[in-house]
Amino acid sequence: NLKSNSISYSYPVGHSMGIYVENSLATDISLVADLLYQNINSKVTIYTAVEGILGQEVRMQSIGLPVLFKYKTAWLWNTYFIVGPSFTYLIKANYKYADQVYGYKGDVEITNTFPSLSTSIKFGLGKEILLADKYLLFELEAQFGITKFNHTHSETDYHDIGSFRNSGIEFNVRVQL
């Protein structure tokens, strides 16, 4: 039940896939790099007493390159910690909107209104589980965006997303070959 003049935000599950490389630097320290295709989604629903329900969605596809340091510990069931920068190249961004009262809707490509390259800091923890001769890795990572996305629009551009940073939480499952 939406109240008058309310806004709700949601972040539908996105996905990423790619290659994972790890290079040991010392007994407990290694350098980890990923090359990822990422699909990120966000959704905003606005309810106003005058216009009714307005729905907005932003979908972004990008190539990500996190370069992380991994520190393996002997405590907490042999978990490891990861931290480092992540670089993202934006391939495509779309803005989808719909007004349920007036019946207008559209899908606009907005790739050129955002920076093509962004940076963030990632940190998290993980656990390796040995299965036969391969490792299965479970990771929980947080990402804090450094680059600020400032969306601007013109008089003929009817959408206004505002500004945001590419921050979020990821749960990764990997197979180490």
Side-chain angles (χ1 to χ4, degrees), residues 159-173:
H159 56 282
D160 185 7
I161 297 166
S163 63
F164 62 93
R165 296 180 192 276
N166 192 10
S167 300
I169 295 176
E170 298 176 14
F171 178 70
N172 300 315
V173 178

Side-chain angles (χ1 to χ4, degrees), residues 12 14 79 87 111 116-117 137:
T79 58
F87 307 96
T111 308
S116 57
L117 186 63
L137 288 77

Side-chain angles (χ1 to χ4, degrees), residues 8-139:
S8 68
Y9 299 91
S10 65
Y11 302 93
V13 175
H15 65 275
S16 62
M17 60 184 152
I19 347 174
Y20 170 88
V21 178
E22 183 173 345
N23 185 27
S24 181
L25 302 175
T27 305
D28 295 334
I29 300 172
S30 55
L31 188 63
V32 176
D34 286 321
L35 183 60
L36 301 167
Y37 167 79
Q38 302 169 316
N39 188 9
I40 302 166
N41 305 302
S42 63
K43 188 175 185 178
V44 179
T45 303
I46 303 170
Y47 178 80
T48 65
V50 176
E51 295 179 321
I53 297 174
L54 306 169
Q56 303 177 51
E57 294 179 32
V58 176
R59 295 179 311 276
M60 301 173 82
Q61 291 89 39
S62 58
I63 300 292
L65 179 64
V67 181
L68 310 172
F69 286 97
K70 179 177 177 180
Y71 175 69
K72 295 179 184 179
T73 67
W75 55 280
L76 286 174
W77 307 285
N78 296 321
T79 58
Y80 58 86
F81 296 96
I82 46 181
V83 65
S86 181
F87 307 96
T88 304
Y89 176 75
L90 180 63
I91 299 171
K92 187 175 184 180
N94 281 70
Y95 172 78
K96 185 177 181 180
Y97 59 92
D99 184 322
Q100 295 180 356
V101 173
Y102 297 112
Y104 67 83
K105 61 183 177 178
D107 198 343
V108 181
E109 183 172 338
I110 55 173
T111 308
N112 294 333
T113 65
F114 293 125
S116 57
L117 186 63
S118 63
T119 56
S120 58
I121 298 295
K122 281 191 166 189
F123 56 92
L125 59 100
K127 172 74 177 140
E128 294 179 353
I129 298 174
L130 183 62
L131 296 174
D133 61 342
K134 310 287 184 217
Y135 277 100
L136 187 61
L137 288 77
F138 295 95
E139 296 176 348

